[in-house]
Amino acid sequence: MEDGEWVLVRKPAEKDFWNPTSMDLADTSKPLKVTFSGPAKHWTDAIPIGNGRLGAMVWGGIASETLQLNEDTLWTGVPGDYTNPEAPAALAEVRKLVDNGDYAEATKAAVKLSDHPSDVYQLLGDIKLEFDESHVKYTEGTYSRELDLETATARVKYSVGDVEFMREHFASNPGQVIVTKISASKPGSLSFTVSLDSKLHHHSQANGQNQIILQGSCPGKRIQPKVGLNENPKGIQFTAVLDLQVSQGGVIHNIDDKKLKVEGSDWAVLLLVASSSFDGPFTMPSDSKKDPTSDSLNALKSIKTLSYSDLYAHHLDDYQNLFHRVSLQLSKSSKSNLGDGSLEMKEVKSSTKISHISKSNDGAVSTAERVKSFQTDEDPSFVELLFQYGRYLLISSSRPGTQVSNLQGIWNKDIEPAWDCAPHLNINLQMNYWPSLPCNLKECQEPLFDFISSLAINGSKTAKVNYETSGWVAHQVTDIWAKTSPDRGEAVWALWPMGGAWLCTHLWEQFTYTMDKDFLKNKAYPLLEGCTSFLLDWLIEGPGGYLETNPSTSPEHMFVAPDGKPASVSYSSTMDIAIIREVFSEIVSAAEVLGRKDDALIGKVREALAKLPPTKIARDGSIMEWAVDFQDPEVHHRHVSHLFGLFPGHTITVEKTPDLCKAVDFTLFKRGVEGPGWSTTWKTALWARLHYSEHAYRMVKHLISLVDPTHEADFEGGLYSNLFTAHPPFQIDANFGFSAAVAEMLVQSTTKDLYLLPALPRDKWANGCVKGLKARGGVTVNICWQEGDLEEFGLWSMEENSVKRLHYRGTTITAKISTGKVYTFNRRLKCVKTYSL
């Protein structure tokens, strides 16, 4: 079990398929590590690890340690009925009030269309470790805690006297296990007690000398019962099994059938597996045939014969296959008004400081200190870290076969978490998956497509009963049971039937990046068809020959009606029409690829596209958020829904709609920079699409400020010490939005066009190299630049031959890209080298 006996030989990482010929790529970046100067005091100081399904937060305590655990199928509730037979009458009433211009009354009446709230994501429990009293007197200055993004491994080190203790934690996807190894530098020095606990209803028992089994259940309904449900149905059942292995000479004692006590060991390995009875969103937990205890013990049996080194090697192989597809290096300019020589001296000092910072003991600078200092030092290597951290979190919270990454990914400490941890479909769930394609993690988006398929089943019932339409619909919030009806409460958030349609744009994007026609035909197109059928029926004839949506809201934003009353319900909000235009354009394109352009449905879509109202510019020069130029009572509102057409949509572009882009520019200035983390990263991407590097970078910088968890209500946006992004409280969407926005600053694309460094902040990231980003059309992009100017770039495609228009600062050339060949271009966009992969 000694790691030194192993030599692992792996195939080259994808990021190393191309290297520049004219630049020395000496890596001056700091290590990709999130470091801490002490144990966690708050949950947002703890280190997240995950394998897509199982997650843990590592606190790094010394005398006592907690690993707080999650499993992604642990939710309250049971499958629901997401229909309301009384909705059609309420819909007719609301539509009439809107037609009469009585928007305030329509807003009140629209509450009749609301339904019960979503169910609630739960937690699994805690692994608790208690060390002997000597650990309280650990040697000051020896403590370090870090998350290594290169290996997805959390480490805690400290010394007690002349003995160094180390803990390593990782969550293995191949093994479906959370692994902890605790070791001491001096033989026989390791003694501790371990137990399992949970805030949920549970029973925990030590099974013999080396196992603890925790069995529990989630509530069959949320804490505040759903309207009309008085019974307490059986909820999701779960089991966690902790297995303990120790070195030869180590002894394990069973303490009261509750805890296991280790004495005199060199090392110990803890394996944590867990399963639940969840058997899909349409199976009642009481009808589930899954046995979580049996499943957990079988999972443990399948890995029990593997050594720690085997488990770690399999984990690294799996994780690094994904993580090592993309690399990013950024640095400041090497030029100076004082002359090159004097600045080179500065840079030498800087790199000395860098190597010191990367150490995680002896008073090294923690990542939290780096966040604090960013407003003054603007360290580009911190941007690299935060970009890669978003990729790490996506790999850790969303894998093929898991649930979708929720409002907190998979990490949650509460029985009643903020906003129920429920996936929200009016920006948050979509943003979670923004980096999956450009940042070369397409597999991580598979759970989203499985989830959309479930939404389509429930959503077809909601559409038929509530709105008397064909197709399928989903609203603003959902849960593990694929809830598709409106949320409980006010129309300003609950009444928004565009959630499913926005999700469908991810289906088309998956095709444009991968060019996978089988996926388009078998998975994407049927879902797009159902969504399109609903949208065609939802649209109604309005005055002037235009089609309109009624009722309509702009997510979570009120307006002042002409009579001076606050309202949220009107008709044809800009976001409604932008999403519909996007979906209609996509299904037309999809039909052309699949040879279905003459289908009757496509004919109807083409007719409807021509009758959608245009995006309008308000009197003050901004993009109108509603069909009428209503007074906006909150001009700095967090949502920028009316800018969907620019990003993530494609109907507003710098080339084709310059007047609308000018209006978007003014709209963003009007909205301001303040807002939650997800709002900040959306604005970053919007500025990038406009090719405004200075403003995009301003939003990057705005996000990087340290949030104090004891006074988080005083903050808007920002980062916690473990680099989780804040709304506040913690929401994971901005972590993902940040990675996607940085990618958007460096590469933009259509299936035919590739834009190089469209929003590069040349003075802030003067030198750099990004490798492994994906572009639409199935092309992998690698770019290096010096002093703000393109130096060299490499392209390849594994999907299909293509012709690309390459754009860089007003220069455009056409390039033919053949499958399996790597092309290197110089700064003048001339191909200077080709070779086969």
Side-chain angles (χ1 to χ4, degrees):
M1 291 194 66
E2 287 302 315
D3 295 342
E5 295 174 13
W6 284 81
V7 177
L8 207 59
V9 179
R10 292 194 182 90
K11 61 185 179 183
E14 191 172 317
K15 65 184 173 68
D16 296 324
F17 285 3
W18 178 88
N19 281 303
T21 58
S22 61
M23 284 177 67
D24 177 18
L25 261 189
D27 192 349
T28 57
S29 303
K30 300 174 188 178
L32 290 174
K33 292 182 178 182
V34 185
T35 60
F36 304 83
S37 55
K41 294 178 181 175
H42 307 277
W43 189 75
T44 49
D45 301 330
I47 293 174
I49 58 172
N51 66 8
R53 184 179 67 87
L54 292 171
M57 296 290 282
V58 180
W59 286 63
I62 300 169
S64 62
E65 166 67 304
T66 301
L67 267 71
Q68 186 269 314
L69 305 170
N70 291 104
E71 201 273 356
D72 71 352
T73 62
L74 301 192
W75 284 73
T76 65
V78 298
D81 176 5
Y82 305 114
T83 64
N84 176 8
E86 297 172 7
L91 178 63
E93 179 189 353
V94 173
R95 280 180 166 168
K96 188 173 181 182
L97 288 165
V98 169
D99 286 341
N100 293 337
D102 198 344
Y103 303 118
E105 285 304 311
T107 300
K108 290 177 188 171
V111 174
K112 296 175 188 174
L113 291 165
S114 69
D115 193 18
H116 54 70
S118 67
D119 271 293
V120 187
Y121 185 51
Q122 299 292 279
L123 44 78
L124 174 55
D126 297 325
I127 300 174
K128 294 188 172 178
L129 300 168
E130 301 289 335
F131 294 89
D132 61 55
E133 290 181 7
S134 68
H135 288 243
V136 178
K137 300 168 184 171
Y138 78 101
T139 309
E140 290 284 339
T142 63
Y143 183 91
S144 71
R145 180 166 61 100
E146 68 178 29
L147 169 63
D148 185 349
L149 301 186
E150 296 278 5
T151 60
T153 306
R155 291 187 184 86
V156 178
K157 282 190 213 172
Y158 58 91
S159 295
V160 177
D162 59 349
V163 182
E164 183 180 74
F165 291 91
M166 182 162 81
R167 302 177 210 145
E168 290 182 300
H169 312 270
F170 64 90
S172 166
N173 181 272
Q176 286 299 302
V177 59
I178 292 173
V179 183
T180 294
K181 183 179 182 181
I182 312 173
S183 55
S185 62
K186 192 174 178 181
S189 299
L190 183 62
S191 301
F192 64 92
T193 303
V194 61
S195 59
L196 277 183
D197 196 8
S198 178
K199 293 179 184 176
L200 292 176
H201 179 71
H202 75 282
H203 172 71
S204 178
Q205 184 168 354
N207 180 26
Q209 293 298 109
N210 70 331
Q211 264 182 19
I212 302 174
I213 298 180
L214 182 146
Q215 296 168 304
S217 59
C218 299
K221 57 186 178 182
R222 57 180 291 138
I223 307 304
Q224 299 164 325
K226 293 175 183 175
V227 177
L229 282 182
N230 295 317
E231 75 279 10
N232 192 8
K234 181 180 182 180
I236 293 169
Q237 309 295 296
F238 65 88
T239 298
V241 179
L242 181 71
D243 183 84
L244 179 60
Q245 304 165 14
V246 297
S247 68
Q248 195 170 1
V251 180
I252 304 175
H253 304 282
N254 182 323
I255 310 294
D256 301 328
D257 288 334
K258 290 288 183 187
K259 301 178 180 180
L260 297 176
K261 185 172 184 179
V262 174
E263 289 186 324
S265 189
D266 303 348
W267 52 260
V269 173
L270 286 69
L271 305 177
L272 187 286
V273 295
S275 305
S276 87
S277 64
F278 177 75
D279 198 16
F282 312 115
T283 302
M284 293 286 288
S286 57
D287 296 333
S288 173
K289 301 292 190 288
K290 296 183 82 170
D291 180 344
T293 301
S294 174
D295 289 347
S296 296
L297 290 170
N298 286 336
L300 188 61
K301 188 177 178 182
S302 69
I303 58 170
K304 195 78 185 293
T305 57
L306 296 174
S307 68
Y308 177 80
S309 297
D310 284 339
L311 286 168
Y312 194 54
H314 295 169
H315 157 70
L316 285 181
D317 201 41
D318 165 75
Y319 171 77
Q320 292 181 340
N321 174 51
L322 295 167
F323 187 76
H324 280 168
R325 291 175 183 177
V326 175
S327 66
L328 175 64
Q329 291 173 241
L330 302 171
S331 62
K332 295 179 181 178
S333 174
S334 57
K335 291 182 178 177
S336 168
N337 294 332
L338 301 174
D340 289 345
S342 61
L343 190 77
E344 279 171 20
M345 291 296 291
K346 282 185 183 177
E347 289 189 339
V348 168
K349 286 180 183 176
S350 171
S351 66
T352 305
K353 185 180 176 187
I354 284 168
S355 64
H356 174 63
I357 287 173
S358 69
K359 296 174 187 172
S360 50
N361 52 20
D362 297 329
V365 176
S366 66
T367 298
E369 290 299 324
R370 292 181 67 188
V371 176
K372 278 186 192 174
S373 65
F374 189 86
Q375 294 301 316
T376 50
D377 66 25
E378 299 185 55
D379 177 8
S381 71
F382 183 81
V383 175
E384 299 169 15
L385 179 67
L386 194 57
F387 168 83
Q388 293 286 22
Y389 187 60
R391 296 183 67 247
Y392 164 81
L393 290 174
L394 188 57
I395 295 168
S396 302
S397 65
S398 185
R399 294 289 201 100
T402 71
Q403 302 305 303
V404 288
S405 180
N406 65 44
L407 212 55
Q408 294 181 184
I410 52 173
W411 299 279
N412 167 40
K413 65 177 172 33
D414 297 313
I415 298 289
E416 296 182 72
W419 300 291
D420 303 326
C421 255
H424 285 56
L425 308 188
N426 61 9
I427 175 61
N428 315 95
L429 180 59
Q430 290 88 344
M431 185 178 282
N432 282 10
Y433 288 96
W434 281 0
S436 60
L437 294 169
C439 297
N440 210 337
L441 296 171
K442 66 181 181 184
E443 299 90 336
C444 295
Q445 194 167 217
E446 286 184 27
L448 183 65
F449 304 140
D450 295 337
F451 188 59
I452 296 171
S453 297
S454 298
L455 290 173
I457 292 169
N458 282 339
S460 63
K461 299 170 191 171
T462 306
K464 184 178 181 180
V465 175
N466 289 31
Y467 302 134
E468 298 176 324
T469 68
S470 61
W472 67 274
V473 65
H475 289 78
Q476 164 258 359
V477 68
T478 184
D479 55 28
I480 198 169
W481 309 110
K483 168 183 162 62
T484 51
S485 56
D487 193 10
R488 176 179 61 187
E490 299 299 322
V492 67
W493 70 79
L495 183 60
W496 192 71
M498 292 292 138
W502 188 347
L503 286 176
C504 276
T505 64
H506 285 246
L507 295 162
W508 175 247
E509 288 283 40
Q510 179 83 0
F511 170 73
T512 64
Y513 273 90
T514 64
M515 309 307 287
D516 183 344
K517 288 183 184 175
D518 287 338
F519 169 82
L520 183 64
K521 178 183 176 181
N522 300 321
K523 187 80 171 182
Y525 199 81
L527 293 168
L528 277 166
E529 271 187 310
C531 173
T532 298
S533 295
F534 166 74
L535 295 175
L536 285 169
D537 288 353
W538 181 248
L539 287 163
I540 52 181
E541 292 281 348
Y546 287 119
L547 294 172
E548 64 181 33
T549 57
N550 176 7
S552 176
T553 60
S554 190
E556 303 183 28
H557 198 186
M558 303 287 286
F559 58 84
V560 179
D563 59 7
K565 295 177 182 176
S568 64
V569 175
S570 62
Y571 66 96
S572 299
S573 73
T574 300
M575 186 183 221
D576 273 13
I577 302 303
I579 290 175
I580 293 170
R581 183 176 283 115
E582 197 79 23
V583 171
F584 283 1
S585 300
E586 289 173 353
I587 197 168
V588 167
S589 297
E592 288 173 357
V593 172
L594 297 175
R596 299 186 60 172
K597 59 185 173 60
D598 296 326
D599 285 10
L601 179 73
I602 301 306
K604 290 179 185 175
V605 170
R606 290 185 195 276
E607 286 179 26
L609 262 172
K611 295 166 75 175
L612 292 177
T615 303
K616 290 187 276 192
I617 298 174
R619 290 184 300 265
D620 67 359
S622 63
I623 296 286
M624 277 172 57
E625 187 162 356
W626 299 274
V628 178
D629 197 0
F630 295 125
Q631 180 187 338
D632 184 347
E634 195 180 352
V635 292
H636 301 309
H637 194 267
R638 61 193 176 277
H639 281 263
V640 282
S641 309
H642 47 320
L643 307 185
F644 174 94
L646 177 67
F647 187 95
H650 305 88
T651 53
I652 298 175
T653 68
V654 170
E655 288 86 358
K656 293 178 182 175
T657 56
D659 290 347
L660 288 178
C661 284
K662 187 178 177 183
V664 170
D665 180 341
F666 181 67
T667 306
L668 284 168
F669 272 116
K670 188 175 162 185
R671 269 299 200 256
V673 298
E674 296 302 326
W678 57 261
S679 178
T680 302
T681 57
W682 193 356
K683 290 168 187 169
T684 310
L686 285 161
W687 281 120
R689 273 277 167 96
L690 290 175
H691 299 180
Y692 283 148
S693 57
E694 183 182 334
H695 299 310
Y697 181 79
R698 180 175 59 161
M699 299 312 298
V700 166
K701 186 176 177 181
H702 184 71
L703 181 71
I704 304 172
S705 72
L706 190 65
V707 175
D708 178 355
T710 62
H711 299 93
E712 64 184 6
D714 298 339
F715 294 82
E716 260 203 303
L719 303 173
Y720 294 100
S721 72
N722 67 358
L723 299 190
F724 273 170
T725 49
H727 182 286
F730 161 53
Q731 268 185 218
I732 203 166
D733 35 31
N735 284 112
F736 300 133
F738 182 84
S739 302
V742 169
E744 198 71 19
M745 293 167 75
L746 301 175
V747 174
Q748 293 174 26
S749 63
T750 69
T751 52
K752 299 292 184 187
D753 295 272
L754 181 62
Y755 300 86
L756 305 167
L757 308 179
L760 175 73
R762 298 168 64 190
D763 56 333
K764 305 297 183 181
W765 306 339
N767 304 301
C769 201
V770 65
K771 298 198 288 181
L773 292 182
K774 288 288 186 180
R776 293 172 184 85
V779 174
T780 304
V781 183
N782 314 270
I783 313 173
C784 292
W785 62 97
Q786 283 187 314
E787 299 304 335
D789 284 324
L790 178 67
E791 183 68 22
E792 200 171 28
F793 64 100
L795 308 176
W796 78 78
S797 173
M798 300 298 282
E799 277 71 34
E800 61 175 37
N801 297 337
S802 63
V803 177
K804 280 280 186 187
R805 288 185 295 266
L806 309 181
H807 305 264
Y808 177 67
R809 288 205 200 152
T811 300
T812 302
I813 64 132
T814 301
K816 290 182 180 178
I817 309 295
S818 298
T819 307
K821 281 198 166 184
V822 181
Y823 298 81
T824 299
F825 296 81
N826 65 16
R827 67 182 74 178
R828 292 182 292 278
L829 310 191
K830 182 181 178 182
C831 183
V832 293
K833 185 180 179 184
T834 63
Y835 56 90
S836 296
L837 276 173

